mmCIF file of all heavy atoms in Angstrom:
data_model
loop_
_atom_site.group_PDB
_atom_site.id
_atom_site.type_symbol
_atom_site.label_atom_id
_atom_site.label_comp_id
_atom_site.label_asym_id
_atom_site.label_seq_id
_atom_site.Cartn_x
_atom_site.Cartn_y
_atom_site.Cartn_z
ATOM 1 N N LEU H 880 18.943 62.236 32.662
ATOM 2 C CA LEU H 880 17.709 61.505 32.727
ATOM 3 C C LEU H 880 16.592 62.510 32.649
ATOM 4 O O LEU H 880 15.635 62.235 32.008
ATOM 5 C CB LEU H 880 17.673 60.748 34.081
ATOM 6 C CG LEU H 880 18.659 59.566 34.192
ATOM 7 C CD1 LEU H 880 18.808 59.017 35.607
ATOM 8 C CD2 LEU H 880 18.362 58.472 33.152
ATOM 9 N N ALA H 881 16.655 63.513 33.362
ATOM 10 C CA ALA H 881 15.546 64.601 33.390
ATOM 11 C C ALA H 881 15.336 65.118 31.984
ATOM 12 O O ALA H 881 14.271 65.350 31.511
ATOM 13 C CB ALA H 881 15.870 65.671 34.381
ATOM 14 N N ALA H 882 16.431 65.574 31.371
ATOM 15 C CA ALA H 882 16.383 65.999 30.012
ATOM 16 C C ALA H 882 15.812 65.241 29.052
ATOM 17 O O ALA H 882 15.278 65.601 27.937
ATOM 18 C CB ALA H 882 17.672 66.694 29.692
ATOM 19 N N ASN H 883 15.957 63.807 29.177
ATOM 20 C CA ASN H 883 15.577 62.882 28.220
ATOM 21 C C ASN H 883 14.050 62.817 28.173
ATOM 22 O O ASN H 883 13.554 62.084 27.276
ATOM 23 C CB ASN H 883 16.114 61.482 28.589
ATOM 24 C CG ASN H 883 15.821 60.514 27.411
ATOM 25 O OD1 ASN H 883 15.389 59.450 27.737
ATOM 26 N ND2 ASN H 883 16.265 60.814 26.238
ATOM 27 N N ILE H 884 13.323 63.512 28.960
ATOM 28 C CA ILE H 884 11.905 63.541 28.916
ATOM 29 C C ILE H 884 11.346 64.214 27.604
ATOM 30 O O ILE H 884 10.210 63.994 27.223
ATOM 31 C CB ILE H 884 11.332 64.172 30.215
ATOM 32 C CG1 ILE H 884 9.758 63.875 30.381
ATOM 33 C CG2 ILE H 884 11.400 65.703 30.163
ATOM 34 C CD1 ILE H 884 9.127 64.235 31.649
ATOM 35 N N PHE H 885 12.149 65.044 26.994
ATOM 36 C CA PHE H 885 11.722 65.887 25.826
ATOM 37 C C PHE H 885 11.723 65.025 24.575
ATOM 38 O O PHE H 885 12.728 64.961 23.843
ATOM 39 C CB PHE H 885 12.593 67.091 25.759
ATOM 40 C CG PHE H 885 12.374 68.052 26.850
ATOM 41 C CD1 PHE H 885 13.355 68.022 27.883
ATOM 42 C CD2 PHE H 885 11.360 68.954 26.926
ATOM 43 C CE1 PHE H 885 13.220 68.882 28.984
ATOM 44 C CE2 PHE H 885 11.241 69.774 27.971
ATOM 45 C CZ PHE H 885 12.112 69.814 29.006
ATOM 46 N N ASP H 886 10.707 64.232 24.373
ATOM 47 C CA ASP H 886 10.615 63.306 23.334
ATOM 48 C C ASP H 886 9.195 63.323 22.674
ATOM 49 O O ASP H 886 8.201 63.009 23.259
ATOM 50 C CB ASP H 886 10.820 61.907 23.792
ATOM 51 C CG ASP H 886 10.962 60.804 22.759
ATOM 52 O OD1 ASP H 886 10.569 61.090 21.607
ATOM 53 O OD2 ASP H 886 11.521 59.795 23.128
ATOM 54 N N TRP H 887 9.130 63.830 21.384
ATOM 55 C CA TRP H 887 7.953 63.995 20.699
ATOM 56 C C TRP H 887 7.296 62.658 20.204
ATOM 57 O O TRP H 887 6.274 62.677 19.653
ATOM 58 C CB TRP H 887 8.079 64.997 19.588
ATOM 59 C CG TRP H 887 8.161 66.452 19.916
ATOM 60 C CD1 TRP H 887 9.226 67.093 20.289
ATOM 61 C CD2 TRP H 887 7.019 67.259 20.148
ATOM 62 N NE1 TRP H 887 8.797 68.319 20.608
ATOM 63 C CE2 TRP H 887 7.545 68.502 20.485
ATOM 64 C CE3 TRP H 887 5.616 67.143 19.895
ATOM 65 C CZ2 TRP H 887 6.601 69.635 20.696
ATOM 66 C CZ3 TRP H 887 4.745 68.163 20.088
ATOM 67 C CH2 TRP H 887 5.308 69.478 20.517
ATOM 68 N N GLY H 888 8.124 61.575 20.499
ATOM 69 C CA GLY H 888 7.526 60.284 20.067
ATOM 70 C C GLY H 888 6.659 59.698 21.201
ATOM 71 O O GLY H 888 6.142 58.572 21.015
ATOM 72 N N SER H 889 6.613 60.383 22.324
ATOM 73 C CA SER H 889 5.778 59.789 23.435
ATOM 74 C C SER H 889 4.592 60.620 23.640
ATOM 75 O O SER H 889 4.678 61.827 23.815
ATOM 76 C CB SER H 889 6.627 59.794 24.671
ATOM 77 O OG SER H 889 5.861 59.638 25.855
ATOM 78 N N ARG H 890 3.426 60.026 23.735
ATOM 79 C CA ARG H 890 2.217 60.620 23.997
ATOM 80 C C ARG H 890 2.158 61.397 25.267
ATOM 81 O O ARG H 890 1.717 62.523 25.494
ATOM 82 C CB ARG H 890 1.035 59.778 23.863
ATOM 83 C CG ARG H 890 -0.283 60.309 24.308
ATOM 84 C CD ARG H 890 -0.721 61.432 23.491
ATOM 85 N NE ARG H 890 -0.717 61.179 22.024
ATOM 86 C CZ ARG H 890 -0.850 62.109 21.151
ATOM 87 N NH1 ARG H 890 -0.973 63.441 21.458
ATOM 88 N NH2 ARG H 890 -0.871 61.812 19.838
ATOM 89 N N ALA H 891 2.777 60.801 26.326
ATOM 90 C CA ALA H 891 2.806 61.256 27.672
ATOM 91 C C ALA H 891 3.574 62.638 27.643
ATOM 92 O O ALA H 891 3.278 63.531 28.355
ATOM 93 C CB ALA H 891 3.387 60.354 28.628
ATOM 94 N N CYS H 892 4.623 62.579 26.909
ATOM 95 C CA CYS H 892 5.567 63.861 26.831
ATOM 96 C C CYS H 892 4.923 64.918 26.059
ATOM 97 O O CYS H 892 5.053 66.065 26.324
ATOM 98 C CB CYS H 892 6.896 63.380 26.314
ATOM 99 S SG CYS H 892 7.773 62.203 27.452
ATOM 100 N N VAL H 893 4.264 64.563 24.990
ATOM 101 C CA VAL H 893 3.580 65.577 24.163
ATOM 102 C C VAL H 893 2.536 66.312 24.995
ATOM 103 O O VAL H 893 2.449 67.542 24.843
ATOM 104 C CB VAL H 893 2.860 64.916 22.959
ATOM 105 C CG1 VAL H 893 2.111 65.972 22.134
ATOM 106 C CG2 VAL H 893 3.956 64.340 21.911
ATOM 107 N N ASP H 894 1.903 65.517 25.881
ATOM 108 C CA ASP H 894 0.919 66.219 26.677
ATOM 109 C C ASP H 894 1.489 67.218 27.668
ATOM 110 O O ASP H 894 1.003 68.218 28.017
ATOM 111 C CB ASP H 894 0.105 65.257 27.606
ATOM 112 C CG ASP H 894 -0.810 64.346 26.751
ATOM 113 O OD1 ASP H 894 -1.086 64.738 25.626
ATOM 114 O OD2 ASP H 894 -1.067 63.124 27.211
ATOM 115 N N LEU H 895 2.758 66.918 28.091
ATOM 116 C CA LEU H 895 3.526 67.769 28.994
ATOM 117 C C LEU H 895 3.843 69.200 28.319
ATOM 118 O O LEU H 895 3.924 70.161 29.030
ATOM 119 C CB LEU H 895 4.878 67.146 29.480
ATOM 120 C CG LEU H 895 4.789 66.119 30.527
ATOM 121 C CD1 LEU H 895 6.160 65.503 30.788
ATOM 122 C CD2 LEU H 895 4.104 66.600 31.749
ATOM 123 N N TYR H 896 4.031 69.167 27.086
ATOM 124 C CA TYR H 896 4.405 70.388 26.386
ATOM 125 C C TYR H 896 3.413 71.527 26.452
ATOM 126 O O TYR H 896 3.609 72.622 26.256
ATOM 127 C CB TYR H 896 4.621 70.085 24.890
ATOM 128 C CG TYR H 896 6.021 69.434 24.559
ATOM 129 C CD1 TYR H 896 6.068 68.117 24.202
ATOM 130 C CD2 TYR H 896 7.152 70.166 24.620
ATOM 131 C CE1 TYR H 896 7.247 67.466 24.040
ATOM 132 C CE2 TYR H 896 8.388 69.533 24.384
ATOM 133 C CZ TYR H 896 8.410 68.181 24.078
ATOM 134 O OH TYR H 896 9.591 67.518 23.870
ATOM 135 N N HIS H 897 2.128 71.071 26.763
ATOM 136 C CA HIS H 897 1.030 72.015 26.861
ATOM 137 C C HIS H 897 0.836 72.604 28.216
ATOM 138 O O HIS H 897 0.107 73.454 28.565
ATOM 139 C CB HIS H 897 -0.287 71.326 26.408
ATOM 140 C CG HIS H 897 -0.222 70.833 24.982
ATOM 141 N ND1 HIS H 897 -0.145 71.547 23.860
ATOM 142 C CD2 HIS H 897 -0.249 69.491 24.565
ATOM 143 C CE1 HIS H 897 -0.202 70.847 22.785
ATOM 144 N NE2 HIS H 897 -0.212 69.515 23.190
ATOM 145 N N LYS H 898 1.746 72.160 29.137
ATOM 146 C CA LYS H 898 1.617 72.503 30.543
ATOM 147 C C LYS H 898 2.757 73.416 31.103
ATOM 148 O O LYS H 898 2.712 73.887 32.276
ATOM 149 C CB LYS H 898 1.634 71.216 31.434
ATOM 150 C CG LYS H 898 0.408 70.280 31.143
ATOM 151 C CD LYS H 898 0.465 69.005 31.963
ATOM 152 C CE LYS H 898 -0.594 68.022 31.741
ATOM 153 N NZ LYS H 898 -0.526 66.795 32.474
ATOM 154 N N GLY H 899 3.739 73.710 30.245
ATOM 155 C CA GLY H 899 4.718 74.531 30.639
ATOM 156 C C GLY H 899 5.848 74.737 29.653
ATOM 157 O O GLY H 899 5.850 74.096 28.608
ATOM 158 N N THR H 900 6.801 75.580 29.980
ATOM 159 C CA THR H 900 7.963 75.848 29.133
ATOM 160 C C THR H 900 8.930 74.732 29.344
ATOM 161 O O THR H 900 8.830 73.847 30.139
ATOM 162 C CB THR H 900 8.630 77.138 29.548
ATOM 163 O OG1 THR H 900 9.165 77.073 30.843
ATOM 164 C CG2 THR H 900 7.640 78.308 29.404
ATOM 165 N N ILE H 901 9.982 74.633 28.485
ATOM 166 C CA ILE H 901 10.963 73.648 28.464
ATOM 167 C C ILE H 901 11.687 73.556 29.870
ATOM 168 O O ILE H 901 11.836 72.528 30.375
ATOM 169 C CB ILE H 901 12.049 73.810 27.390
ATOM 170 C CG1 ILE H 901 11.439 73.465 25.993
ATOM 171 C CG2 ILE H 901 13.330 73.037 27.644
ATOM 172 C CD1 ILE H 901 12.247 73.720 24.812
ATOM 173 N N ILE H 902 12.047 74.906 30.331
ATOM 174 C CA ILE H 902 12.762 74.856 31.633
ATOM 175 C C ILE H 902 11.824 74.359 32.777
ATOM 176 O O ILE H 902 12.307 73.649 33.753
ATOM 177 C CB ILE H 902 13.286 76.250 31.928
ATOM 178 C CG1 ILE H 902 14.247 76.788 30.770
ATOM 179 C CG2 ILE H 902 13.957 76.424 33.246
ATOM 180 C CD1 ILE H 902 15.327 75.724 30.417
ATOM 181 N N GLU H 903 10.588 74.791 32.692
ATOM 182 C CA GLU H 903 9.542 74.325 33.784
ATOM 183 C C GLU H 903 9.429 72.747 33.836
ATOM 184 O O GLU H 903 9.452 72.222 34.905
ATOM 185 C CB GLU H 903 8.278 75.081 33.636
ATOM 186 C CG GLU H 903 8.330 76.534 33.910
ATOM 187 C CD GLU H 903 6.997 77.145 33.489
ATOM 188 O OE1 GLU H 903 6.301 76.615 32.624
ATOM 189 O OE2 GLU H 903 6.751 78.360 33.945
ATOM 190 N N ILE H 904 9.395 72.281 32.547
ATOM 191 C CA ILE H 904 9.255 70.798 32.492
ATOM 192 C C ILE H 904 10.542 70.139 32.914
ATOM 193 O O ILE H 904 10.406 69.111 33.580
ATOM 194 C CB ILE H 904 8.942 70.382 31.041
ATOM 195 C CG1 ILE H 904 7.515 71.006 30.618
ATOM 196 C CG2 ILE H 904 8.901 68.878 30.904
ATOM 197 C CD1 ILE H 904 7.268 70.784 29.147
ATOM 198 N N TYR H 905 11.673 70.711 32.542
ATOM 199 C CA TYR H 905 12.931 70.136 32.991
ATOM 200 C C TYR H 905 13.056 70.007 34.536
ATOM 201 O O TYR H 905 13.431 69.065 35.066
ATOM 202 C CB TYR H 905 14.037 70.949 32.348
ATOM 203 C CG TYR H 905 15.403 70.608 32.833
ATOM 204 C CD1 TYR H 905 15.963 69.455 32.382
ATOM 205 C CD2 TYR H 905 16.109 71.454 33.605
ATOM 206 C CE1 TYR H 905 17.343 69.088 32.786
ATOM 207 C CE2 TYR H 905 17.507 71.126 33.971
ATOM 208 C CZ TYR H 905 18.058 69.999 33.614
ATOM 209 O OH TYR H 905 19.310 69.662 34.017
ATOM 210 N N ARG H 906 12.716 71.258 35.185
ATOM 211 C CA ARG H 906 12.835 71.232 36.635
ATOM 212 C C ARG H 906 11.807 70.324 37.230
ATOM 213 O O ARG H 906 12.234 69.682 38.348
ATOM 214 C CB ARG H 906 12.542 72.693 37.018
ATOM 215 C CG ARG H 906 13.718 73.764 36.693
ATOM 216 C CD ARG H 906 13.389 75.094 37.065
ATOM 217 N NE ARG H 906 14.516 76.074 36.698
ATOM 218 C CZ ARG H 906 14.362 77.238 36.529
ATOM 219 N NH1 ARG H 906 13.213 77.866 36.595
ATOM 220 N NH2 ARG H 906 15.452 77.997 36.273
#
Side-chain angles (χ1 to χ4, degrees):
L880 294 170
N883 189 234
I884 198 171
F885 296 95
D886 188 343
W887 282 89
S889 164
R890 172 58 56 190
C892 297
V893 171
D894 292 340
L895 286 176
Y896 284 106
H897 303 294
K898 299 178 180 177
T900 66
I901 288 178
I902 301 307
E903 288 171 342
I904 297 170
Y905 172 72
R906 288 172 179 162

